[in-house]
Structures are given as structure tokens and as C-alpha cells.
Amino acid sequence: MSLFNRSNKIAVFVIFFLYFLFSIHATNVPLTSLFFKIQYVMNILFILIGIIVLFKTKTKINLVLFLVVFYLIFSSFLFNQYNTNFQLFNIIIDLFSYTIIGIILGQTVNFERIVNVLFYYFLLLAVLCILNAIFFPQMGKELSGEWRGVLYQKNALANVMVFGLIINYIYLLTKSTIKRSYRLCLGYTSLFTMFFLIVMTESATGLMVGISLSLAFFIFVLFYKIKNMNLKLVLISLTSILIIFLILTLLENEGRVFEFLGKDSNLTGRNVIFEYVKSIIKDHLFLGIGYSGIPNSYLLNSNETYQAIGFHVYYAHNGFLEILFQIGIVGILMYLYFYFTISKILLFEIDNIVKVFVLLFFVYNILYNLSEVTFLTGEGNNFQWFVMCLLITYYSRFKSIK
């Protein structure tokens, strides 16, 4: 019986690991066409099973989250002129699948258990990326030599590994079933591996956000360990002064910073993209041009975009602009509500590791979306959407207990 139970656990672990790979769009593997077929089938199965579980457990769904999902579907069908029916189907399937699974896990599974499983998923992913880059360089590396592992692009790998740092840091705080010495050894080895991969992608955004998250982690942990309120205020004051000093220093040495990061002052064409996206937003300010997830179908397929910018782009390279671009001010208000709801977790009398995770999640999204996009669904962003749905449900779960 114990062997049967162990086999079941291994099977569930493998199935959800595949689902995790789909959520980050790890398509840089052999038989990519088969990958997508499996993804479609698995998404539909998870939706059907998820709906049954929701009804059986009578799970309460956050009303605003429910309305947002249907608004995004409505926006895709009515406003987006470039998506084919097949693309629209995939957008909706992705949205429903990762929303439902996020809700179910947020309602039923212990937070530490989720972190422990995700830690092993990210560790396995990191190992796969290294093996792919070393033994299959024609797949695991881009033409210019940057590593992309099993993901479709180097910036995507950096983005995923930076989020992996958050999971890794929280894992180091959890109470695992294995010995503390083994857990710490495994955790720090994984941490080093993820930083190594971020460096090998040569992603300036990934490296800067990774370092910022590491500093933020130590500050947040120190804040919750300090019991004296006066010392907490001192820590907040010193941190604020440090942030202001760093910002002023960066502004005064802007040229040197770009040189150090290997970038030009045009941010690798981002300034041109930003200006063009802003010009389109002005004409669709309230509802946007229509939801299409990532990649953005308008930017990808519009001849007007290519003529204005001079090259093809997949998205706005700024998460806040991307939300305005696709779903307008209504979308910004939606996300503000989501993050306001999640922030209320900080007021609960729960384990501090949950609070540290929420704070790191905020830092990650604010910093990364200055030059990339982690909002909305599609490709690698499905995982971030899943985490957000999980945290919103987690808030509702503990609010009802309280």
C-alpha cells in the first residue's frame, strides 16, 4: 500500500511539473508541436477537473476575480482584431486553467507545502536549463551565446529564474521534513544555480531585479524578526534613505550605468516602443485595444507598428503600459484592486513567511514591469497569473476563518 501511495505521489508530482513547464512556456525542447498538443489537452482536463472540485468543495470564488476573467474574455472577442478564433480559444483556455488551479490550491493546500513543491520544480527546471545549454547548445543558447535553457528566449529564462529566487528564499524559511542541514545545503545550492543562470542569460533586468530581491528579502526578514517597534522604525528609515541615495546615484551616473549593463541610452529600442505604445493608448484609454495576453497580437501583427518602430515586437516591454494598451484604465483599476486585496494578507496573524512572500511578490512585479511584462496571461506569464489567483484566494480563505 505504501508503494502504491508513493507511486501516486510521484505521478501527481510529474503531472504538475509538466503543468508548471507549460505555465512558463518551456517550448525550447524536441518535439515542440507535441508539447503544444499535450498542453491543450492538459489545460482542458484541468479545467474540467477543477470545475468539479470547485462545486464539490463549494469553494467561494472572489467575485471581482470572477468578473475580471469574464471581462478579459469579453475584451478578447469584441475589441481584438488580430486574434484568430483558434488563438482566442487558446487565450481563454489558458486564462481559465491557471485561474481555476490557483483558486483550488489557494483554498485547499497549505502554503508551505506549495512552496516546497515549487522549490523542487524550479530546481529541476534550473538543472534542465543547464543540461540543455551544455549538451544541446544549438537549442539551449541563442545565436549570440546567451543562455536560454529550455525556454524560448533568454529574457524569459531570466524572468523565471528571478521568480525562482523568491521561491528559494521562502523555502529557506520553511520547516521542511528533511534535516535542516540538508535543506540549507540544497537551498543555497539552488540559489547559486539560479543566480548563475541569470548571469548566463546576460539579462540586465534579470540581474538587477535579482539583486534587489535579495536585498529586499534580508530587510523584510530582519523587519519581522525585530520585536521592538522603535528598532523597526529605524530599519524603515535607514532603508528609505538607502533607496533614495541609490536612486540619486543612478540618476547622476546614468551613462556609466548603461555602459556597465552593456545597454545604450535608448534601452535597446525600448524608448521607441514606449513612445509608440503611448500614442496608441491615447486613442483607447478607457478599455484598451483588446485583451490578447502575451504576445500582444496588435504589436506582433500590425504593419503600422513595424513602420513606426522599425522592427517586430511582441509586447510593450513595460507591464504598466501593456495593461493600459490592452485593457485600458479599467485594467489598471482591476490590478490595483488585486494588489490591494493581496496586501491585506499582511494584516493577518499568520506565519511571517507568507508576508515575506507577498512583499517580495510586490517588489518583483514593480521592478520587473519597468522594462518587461509579467502581468496578463500567455507564454511565461501564466505562472505569475496563477500565483496572483492563489494569493487572492488565500486572502479570502483566511478572511472567512478570521
Side-chain angles (χ1 to χ4, degrees):
M1 183 63 72
S2 60
L3 182 62
F4 179 75
N5 289 335
R6 185 177 297 176
S7 299
N8 278 346
K9 287 181 180 179
I10 292 172
V12 170
F13 183 88
V14 171
I15 290 170
F16 272 94
F17 181 62
L18 286 174
Y19 191 65
F20 167 71
L21 291 179
F22 295 143
S23 77
I24 59 173
H25 212 66
T27 57
N28 189 26
V29 292
L31 303 173
T32 300
S33 58
L34 183 62
F35 178 99
F36 285 113
K37 290 176 183 177
I38 297 172
Q39 181 186 27
Y40 300 148
V41 171
M42 187 170 281
N43 271 338
I44 292 171
L45 285 175
F46 269 73
I47 289 171
L48 294 175
I49 294 170
I51 290 172
I52 294 170
V53 171
L54 288 175
F55 276 104
K56 278 193 171 183
T57 57
K58 297 180 181 178
T59 300
K60 290 184 179 179
I61 301 174
N62 183 285
L63 178 61
V64 177
L65 178 59
F66 178 81
L67 293 174
V68 166
V69 169
F70 279 92
Y71 170 74
L72 294 178
I73 295 170
F74 168 82
S75 176
S76 291
F77 274 104
L78 289 186
F79 301 127
N80 205 310
Q81 57 180 312
Y82 285 104
N83 283 326
T84 64
N85 289 334
F86 181 70
Q87 287 172 327
L88 285 171
F89 175 76
N90 289 332
I91 290 167
I92 293 168
I93 290 297
D94 271 354
L95 188 61
F96 268 121
S97 177
Y98 294 103
T99 301
I100 288 173
I101 297 304
I103 290 170
I104 291 173
L105 294 183
Q107 183 66 36
T108 59
V109 182
N110 176 272
F111 183 80
E112 284 197 16
R113 188 175 180 183
I114 294 173
V115 170
N116 281 317
V117 172
L118 287 177
F119 167 78
Y120 288 108
Y121 283 175
F122 275 100
L123 179 58
L124 282 173
L125 174 65
V127 172
L128 287 175
C129 287
I130 291 173
L131 293 176
N132 203 33
I134 292 174
F135 294 105
F136 306 98
Q138 71 278 11
M139 293 184 64
K141 295 181 182 179
E142 299 200 349
L143 294 176
S144 50
E146 299 95 337
W147 285 26
R148 62 184 179 188
V150 296
L151 277 85
Y152 56 94
Q153 203 255 356
K154 71 179 186 84
N155 289 330
L157 175 58
N159 181 2
V160 171
M161 285 298 112
V162 169
F163 200 96
L165 292 178
I166 298 177
I167 300 297
N168 210 118
Y169 282 130
I170 301 302
Y171 173 79
L172 290 170
L173 298 178
T174 59
K175 298 173 183 176
S176 179
T177 53
I178 63 175
K179 286 185 178 180
R180 186 173 182 273
S181 57
Y182 294 158
R183 179 169 57 86
L184 292 177
C185 180
L186 192 62
Y188 285 116
T189 301
S190 173
L191 200 63
F192 171 80
T193 304
M194 289 177 189
F195 264 116
F196 170 75
L197 280 170
I198 293 169
V199 171
M200 296 307 291
T201 64
E202 298 183 25
S203 168
T205 302
L207 187 58
M208 291 182 69
V209 177
I211 293 171
S212 300
L213 279 172
S214 300
L215 293 173
F217 170 74
F218 290 115
I219 291 170
F220 294 149
V221 169
L222 188 59
F223 177 83
Y224 283 112
K225 282 188 176 294
I226 295 173
K227 303 300 180 183
N228 187 289
M229 184 55 67
N230 291 329
L231 289 177
K232 286 189 175 184
L233 291 173
V234 170
L235 178 62
I236 293 171
S237 301
L238 290 174
T239 304
S240 302
I241 293 169
L242 177 62
I243 292 171
I244 294 169
F245 173 75
L246 288 174
I247 291 172
L248 292 174
T249 303
L250 289 173
L251 291 174
E252 288 181 7
N253 299 276
E254 184 179 350
R256 292 180 181 178
V257 172
F258 286 134
E259 184 180 348
F260 173 75
L261 295 174
K263 303 287 182 182
D264 55 30
S265 58
N266 194 34
L267 296 173
T268 324
R270 280 174 171 80
N271 286 349
V272 181
I273 300 171
F274 294 165
E275 291 306 313
Y276 174 72
V277 169
K278 288 175 186 177
S279 70
I280 302 297
I281 288 172
K282 289 177 184 177
D283 298 326
H284 305 83
L285 188 60
F286 188 64
L287 295 176
I289 63 164
Y291 181 71
S292 64
I294 304 297
N296 185 315
S297 60
Y298 182 92
L299 291 178
L300 182 60
N301 298 306
S302 170
N303 289 326
E304 180 188 347
T305 299
Y306 183 80
Q307 291 170 4
I309 298 177
F311 51 88
H312 289 293
V313 292
Y314 286 77
Y315 50 90
H317 285 78
N318 179 288
F320 310 103
L321 287 178
E322 188 70 49
I323 292 175
L324 278 171
F325 193 70
Q326 289 196 39
I327 46 181
I329 291 176
V330 172
I332 290 290
L333 293 175
M334 290 174 184
Y335 271 89
L336 285 175
Y337 169 80
F338 286 156
Y339 284 97
F340 174 71
T341 300
I342 293 170
S343 68
K344 288 192 280 187
I345 292 175
L346 302 173
L347 303 177
F348 290 149
E349 293 295 327
I350 56 176
D351 199 316
N352 286 335
I353 66 167
V354 182
K355 297 179 181 180
V356 173
F357 179 83
V358 168
L359 290 169
L360 291 177
F361 183 69
F362 286 163
V363 172
Y364 164 83
N365 277 299
I366 291 170
L367 294 181
Y368 228 106
N369 282 283
L370 294 176
S371 64
E372 294 291 341
V373 179
T374 66
F375 299 132
L376 311 178
T377 58
E379 296 197 349
N381 289 3
N382 287 324
F383 180 74
Q384 280 83 353
W385 177 266
F386 153 78
V387 172
M388 188 169 69
C389 293
L390 185 150
L391 289 174
I392 291 169
T393 307
Y394 200 75
Y395 161 76
S396 302
R397 172 183 170 184
F398 276 87
K399 182 184 175 184
S400 62
I401 294 173
K402 189 175 179 181

